[in-house]
Amino acid sequence: MSTVQTASILISDPDSSIRQEQGEILRADGWMVAETGGGEELFEAALERPALLLMAAELLGGDPEARLGELRERAGEGLRVVLTFDADLELDWEACSRAGVDEFVERHAPAWILRHRIRRLMPVEASAAEQAGSWMEPDVFAAKLRARLGTAAGDESQVAVLAAVLDIHGMDLGQLSSSAGKSLTQELGRRMRAAFEDGEDGGTLSGLLQGMRLARIEPGVVMMMIPGVRRVQDTARIGARLQERMAQPLEVDGKTRDPLVGLGVAAFPEDGQDASILMQNALTAARRARNEGTSLMIFHTEAMGRWAFERLTLERSLREAIVREELRVYYQPRVDAETRRILGMECLVRWQHPELGLVPPVQFIPLAEETGLIVPIGEWVLREACRQNQEWREKGLPEIAVSVNLSPVQFRVGDLVEVVNDALRESGLDQGGLELEVTESMLMNDPKKTVEILERLKGAGIHISIDDFGTGYSSLSYLKRFPIDALKIDRSFVMNVTTDPDDAAIATAIILMGHSLKLSVVAEGVETESQLEFLRVLQCNEIQGYLFSPPVPADRAEELLRAQKAGVQAA
Ligand code: C2E
Ligand code: MG
Ligand code: MG
């Protein structure tokens, strides 16, 4: 196996067997290969900025120059093009070369010919220069940035420009020997790439690495562009990691030094509509940061900086919350609508913050999901819930099930089934003592993978309910595909069930539909006797809400179970 060349080749051909054949040849040669048919799909794939396009000539249409121009706008001016053609195709060769086609190769040419042509166009050195993260000269960088702003304006993403100004004890880095200068920039490039890597966030940042480009502006001053940014905090997070890494001791001219790094951030469109203005603004912010005398990151726009800073601070303290054991599980009983006996307890996480007090989940779950912290948090809740329920059982309290909310991220990262099984095994709780709640939108997003995981959980004997039901768009036939046991009617419908005829109709429909699918139906957020009465008449199976009890700490939940055992009605 040859070493992997990271520059990418995009194969575009309407015939998938041809694409596959060519892909195999090139992958075996170590290239990173993507494949597409034609049309919109091709334009989209071009945005990934392949270094070379291997394309069926018939896809060029009547005006090769226009078509290739459009593709270069997306893929960048450096795009090399190799056309494949069938022997009988009548092709306007001249128009094609005018359009900048670099090579032609017959579609069914033997493997060695294809290989040879591609290698000639992309010698290993040249391909390395196209790699994400290799250095560009400032004007090439500016041109690439300009091209990228056009597409960003179209798809409403941001392009962030980060400038880093390095200060190594006031050394004039321009005076370094060329080999010392080279190894310094190599090291900086390595650190800049590493800022995108992190196992914990489920790869949310590593997706941005591919579009990343680096420029050496002058000795000790480097710039990075990150296209495709959807959220300011992604830039902020990369910046924070970059800063941490850049400030690590550096080997310069044989001596280890502690550098000072000023980081400046400017983002399109907020901080400038034009490549040179963005670069200037990032650089100004970086110089300002360097002049502060400690390693610092400054955003060109103050408002953005403040916002990003708050998010980063919160992210950091949430990370610590897990270690410092500041998370708590609260329990809210779910009761039988007829008998009002407690059948289960929903586990709802809280953050006991040293200064902010008890923080509700809506204030940190979204951040935890974005940063991937939901994975360790969710795992902790699962284990704590199982441990607690087993403790109650061992105390001889009424047997109930605890139900734990799952986040979509937990389906994507790590092995959820394994985590669940571990929690059960560790606590000694049997499967019937644990239930899981997923939301409708989770089923819609990646149905195939979700079904597979849910089926394994279900196979392990765990009940699954759909939370916040009614807020998504699932239809009856859609629901049938999922191995679920219960529907939880969203609180927003229950709230007005006795006053708003529309909500009453929706709640009624959900109960009937649930029963026809042999599912148990739970109403969330029941606050009044009249709501309970309405639901009871419709034979809604279970209710949960302030009417019976709000979410309470474990000791209080235990009292509720004790009262039930003693036969005292707690209603
Ligand atoms: P959810 O799973 O739908 O939980 C029900 C929410 O409704 C809880 O809010 C509960 O306190 C609230 N609630 C229950 N009965 C009533 C009522 O009668 N009236 C009113 N006004 N509210 C009621 P909470 O605890 O703030 O949790 C909010 C959401 O945070 C949960 O919605 C759930 O989606 C999420 N969440 C909580 N804990 C976890 C967790 O451990 N993991 C994950 N992934 N999400 C969690
Ligand atoms: Mg829930
Ligand atoms: Mg809910």
Side-chain angles (χ1 to χ4, degrees):
M1 205 33 222
S2 47
T3 52
V4 171
Q5 329 261 341
T6 44
S8 59
I9 297 177
L10 176 63
I11 300 177
S12 183
D13 198 299
D15 182 339
S16 64
S17 62
I18 300 259
R19 296 201 297 263
Q20 227 170 348
E21 201 177 293
Q22 294 171 340
E24 263 167 39
I25 297 168
L26 296 176
R27 280 191 193 99
D29 245 15
W31 300 107
M32 251 173 53
V33 177
E35 297 171 20
T36 123
E40 264 315 298
E41 208 187 304
L42 169 58
F43 282 113
E44 225 157 82
L47 287 175
E48 300 295 324
R49 308 181 74 81
L52 184 141
L53 173 63
L54 180 67
M55 170 163 121
E58 61 194 85
L59 290 175
L60 273 183
D63 189 350
E65 274 175 277
R67 179 47 69 98
L68 282 183
E70 286 167 350
L71 284 167
R72 286 211 164 86
E73 243 170 55
R74 289 166 174 81
E77 284 308 314
L79 178 74
R80 269 150 293 183
V81 180
V82 178
L83 284 190
T84 58
F85 62 95
D86 289 321
D88 58 355
L89 182 77
E90 286 194 26
L91 197 61
D92 185 347
W93 304 94
E94 250 181 67
C96 286
S97 4
R98 266 203 314 278
V101 173
D102 296 282
E103 268 292 0
F104 300 90
V105 54
E106 237 187 303
R107 222 165 168 196
H108 295 281
W112 67 269
I113 292 192
L114 178 63
R115 208 175 272 143
H116 177 71
R117 296 281 157 88
I118 300 278
R119 276 204 192 139
R120 205 163 61 185
L121 279 174
M122 301 226 292
V124 175
E125 296 79 359
S127 73
E130 283 293 321
Q131 280 178 31
S134 66
W135 299 97
M136 292 174 177
E137 294 307 312
D139 51 337
V140 179
F141 181 83
K144 295 256 178 201
L145 180 57
R146 205 164 295 126
R148 208 57 186 74
L149 296 185
T151 47
D155 67 11
E156 290 180 13
S157 62
Q158 294 185 348
V159 181
V161 178
L162 266 73
V165 176
L166 209 62
D167 189 340
I168 305 176
H169 307 294
M171 262 171 85
D172 182 354
L173 298 174
Q175 297 297 322
L176 286 178
S177 70
S178 83
S179 71
K182 205 166 162 191
S183 73
L184 176 65
T185 36
Q186 259 172 2
E187 175 58 17
L188 292 184
R190 203 185 56 72
R191 294 182 180 192
M192 290 176 110
R193 274 189 293 278
F196 291 80
E197 291 158 9
D198 185 0
E200 264 175 40
D201 64 3
T204 46
L205 296 182
S206 56
L208 292 170
L209 178 62
Q210 211 184 21
M212 191 268 269
R213 295 291 180 271
L214 292 179
R216 225 176 347 207
I217 306 297
E218 58 186 64
V221 180
V222 292
M223 238 179 234
M224 174 196 257
M225 92 166 97
I226 316 172
V229 177
R230 298 269 162 206
R231 299 174 304 225
V232 188
Q233 60 266 37
D234 287 347
T235 308
R237 219 173 291 141
I238 290 171
R241 289 193 200 154
L242 188 56
Q243 199 182 12
E244 205 176 285
R245 293 192 160 89
M246 295 281 260
Q248 305 279 323
L250 261 178
E251 188 84 11
V252 186
D253 243 356
K255 291 201 189 70
T256 307
R257 318 263 193 170
D258 285 317
L260 190 82
V261 196
L263 269 188
V265 185
F268 170 84
E270 284 80 6
D271 299 329
Q273 303 283 324
D274 173 89
S276 56
I277 292 179
L278 281 169
M279 288 167 70
Q280 195 52 57
N281 285 344
L283 200 55
T284 311
R287 295 221 156 96
R288 205 146 56 80
R290 193 258 326 258
N291 293 341
E292 292 290 319
T294 51
S295 286
L296 193 70
M297 171 164 60
I298 292 186
F299 282 74
H300 177 68
T301 322
E302 202 187 315
M304 196 160 104
R306 210 174 320 116
W307 193 76
F309 178 74
E310 277 166 17
R311 301 288 296 208
L312 279 182
T313 313
L314 188 64
E315 178 181 338
R316 206 166 295 137
S317 57
L318 183 54
R319 217 173 269 279
E320 286 164 7
I322 307 171
V323 190
R324 292 197 196 150
E325 305 187 354
E326 292 169 1
L327 297 177
R328 305 277 176 274
V329 178
Y330 273 46
Y331 298 86
Q332 186 176 35
R334 213 180 58 222
V335 306
D336 186 302
E338 278 303 329
T339 65
R340 301 201 187 191
R341 286 186 68 80
I342 301 174
L343 301 171
M345 294 273 188
E346 176 166 7
C347 304
L348 296 155
V349 69
R350 305 281 181 265
W351 179 8
Q352 185 63 58
H353 192 282
E355 283 128 45
L356 302 175
L358 202 63
V359 186
V362 283
Q363 281 177 29
F364 66 91
I365 295 279
L367 177 69
E369 290 184 327
E370 267 169 33
T371 53
L373 285 172
I374 191 69
V375 175
I377 293 177
E379 205 174 312
W380 179 80
V381 173
L382 259 170
R383 269 201 252 111
E384 178 57 18
C386 293
R387 187 203 59 76
Q388 182 63 70
N389 198 15
Q390 181 62 19
E391 185 187 312
W392 285 332
R393 289 188 172 191
E394 283 167 9
K395 284 179 174 169
L397 294 166
E399 280 210 357
I400 56 144
V402 285
S403 58
V404 172
N405 294 282
L406 292 179
S407 151
V409 182
Q410 291 173 275
F411 278 72
R412 290 200 301 269
V413 181
D415 189 344
L416 180 60
V417 184
E418 182 103 1
V419 169
V420 170
N421 283 330
D422 282 349
L424 287 171
R425 200 174 323 120
E426 252 173 52
S427 61
L429 184 69
D430 74 52
Q431 306 87 320
L434 175 67
E435 299 184 2
L436 298 171
E437 297 190 10
V438 300
T439 60
E440 250 179 301
S441 55
M442 283 161 70
L443 306 184
M444 315 282 280
N445 283 345
D446 188 357
K448 205 166 143 246
K449 181 149 189 223
T450 314
V451 172
E452 187 202 304
I453 295 178
L454 290 181
E455 241 140 36
R456 284 168 62 203
L457 290 168
K458 175 96 178 170
I462 294 160
H463 277 221
I464 291 152
S465 42
I466 307 226
D467 204 355
D468 305 340
F469 191 78
T471 55
Y473 301 94
S474 351
S475 64
L476 190 74
S477 58
Y478 195 80
L479 275 183
K480 272 197 196 150
R481 306 164 49 191
F482 299 97
I484 49 178
D485 304 280
L487 296 180
K488 298 186 81 173
I489 311 176
D490 190 66
R491 192 166 67 83
S492 59
F493 305 111
V494 174
M495 208 157 55
N496 301 320
V497 85
T498 54
T499 49
D500 182 334
D502 287 340
D503 287 350
I506 293 172
T508 308
I510 295 176
I511 295 171
L512 293 177
M513 176 178 117
H515 287 163
S516 77
L517 285 172
K518 307 209 164 40
L519 302 174
S520 172
V521 182
V522 185
E524 295 186 317
V526 177
E527 294 183 356
T528 66
E529 284 292 344
S530 53
Q531 288 166 346
L532 171 61
E533 188 51 24
F534 180 96
L535 295 158
R536 211 183 48 79
V537 168
L538 286 168
Q539 295 187 313
C540 178
N541 307 76
E542 298 169 31
I543 63 149
Q544 183 181 335
Y546 293 173
L547 174 65
F548 191 81
S549 168
V552 293
D555 52 353
R556 177 77 192 111
E558 184 170 323
E559 283 169 25
L560 293 173
L561 289 173
R562 261 181 221 296
Q564 174 154 312
K565 192 180 178 199
V568 182
Q569 278 294 17

